[in-house]
Amino acid sequence: MYRTQPQRRSTPWTRLTGMLLMVACYATLIVGVLPLPPDADVRDLRLALISCTFLCVLMWITASVRSPRTDAVVLDKARQRERRPSRTLPILLGLAIPLASGAALVQAVGPDGEQGRWVSEVYAAGGGAYEIPIEKVLDEPDPTGVNINDVDEYAADVMVTLPFDDGARTVTVHGATTVGKPVKGDTVAVMYAPGRPTLGVRHNDNGFFSSGLALIWIWALTFFLCIFTAGVFAMSRRDRIHSVRRFRTDVHGPAALVLCMGVLFLLPGAFFHTSTWAGWLLALVAASTPWLALTWVVQRRWRTLTRT
């Protein structure tokens, strides 16, 4: 028999708040990794989920700190009476880290700068993307160099009639792209706000296929990292992973600050529509913070375990 330093005992409140934190975290990550439109409702949803996750973090810290201390006396019989660590918790933690990085990178995909601000204004005014038939092709279509299902894509200025709230208007859409040479009757994707004609009309090049390559790479990388980290965590000692369930200032405090910094790096792109290069740079920095937090927790816990 030997005695270690007094530790805090896991209580039902600690486990419950930990479960709530995991649910809130996964809801935030799943919404973050989806290519949702950059409108105010989506932004508010993401901020609400982040706030909910932050609240669950505070609840978990409070429950962990207020849990009673107990002397960690290790006996063979005592080991037999210990609650067996869950098999699913290591896997869930292993999946959350790549998902967090993937969600951060997805925030850089989409319209940036002036185009991003205009798209946000269109959504805020109740507008969106629409398929509108072509009334007239105004110039000779130029091939864009893109081939979709063995059919070349072309760009041209076209004339369309849009149903605004104050009446139909015929407008010109510059650089509208179509699969094959555009002719009268074909449809083009445009963005506009029926209630705000002053915002103008633009060709909608913000769909999935315009940014699909970046999304596919992000999703593929996230998928393979999820398999890798979940496998590593599943094969690790479950008791060591479960030992970090209770809050410790020296372990979880710096890790939480790193994760908060990652969220802050994403806010400029969400509110100020940074340039493309700045958006990707901030997203890459934010995507690295889950791994930096994990590295801190692992090395800190390893030092603690080697001392006992």
Side-chain angles (χ1 to χ4, degrees), residues 2 27 63 92 99 139 146 163 170 196 202 226 247 254 265 299:
Y2 65 90
L92 290 175
L99 275 177
D139 59 1
V146 177
T170 300
R196 290 275 304 278
R202 299 184 186 182
C226 281
F247 178 79
F265 280 122
Q299 66 90 19

Side-chain angles (χ1 to χ4, degrees), residues 107-183:
Q107 307 313 306
V109 178
D112 303 301
E114 188 275 333
Q115 175 70 6
R117 284 189 290 271
W118 182 83
V119 171
S120 297
E121 289 180 1
V122 169
Y123 277 113
Y130 306 89
E131 291 286 337
I132 304 296
I134 297 174
E135 295 284 342
K136 184 179 180 181
V137 180
L138 300 177
D139 59 1
E140 182 63 26
D142 294 324
T144 63
V146 177
N147 186 278
I148 301 175
N149 295 329
D150 296 328
V151 181
D152 291 331
E153 182 185 74
Y154 289 84
D157 295 343
V158 299
M159 186 178 295
V160 298
T161 300
L162 301 178
F164 287 95
D165 291 348
D166 58 357
R169 299 187 185 186
T170 300
V171 299
T172 298
V173 181
H174 299 281
T177 59
T178 57
V179 179
K181 285 190 175 182
V183 296

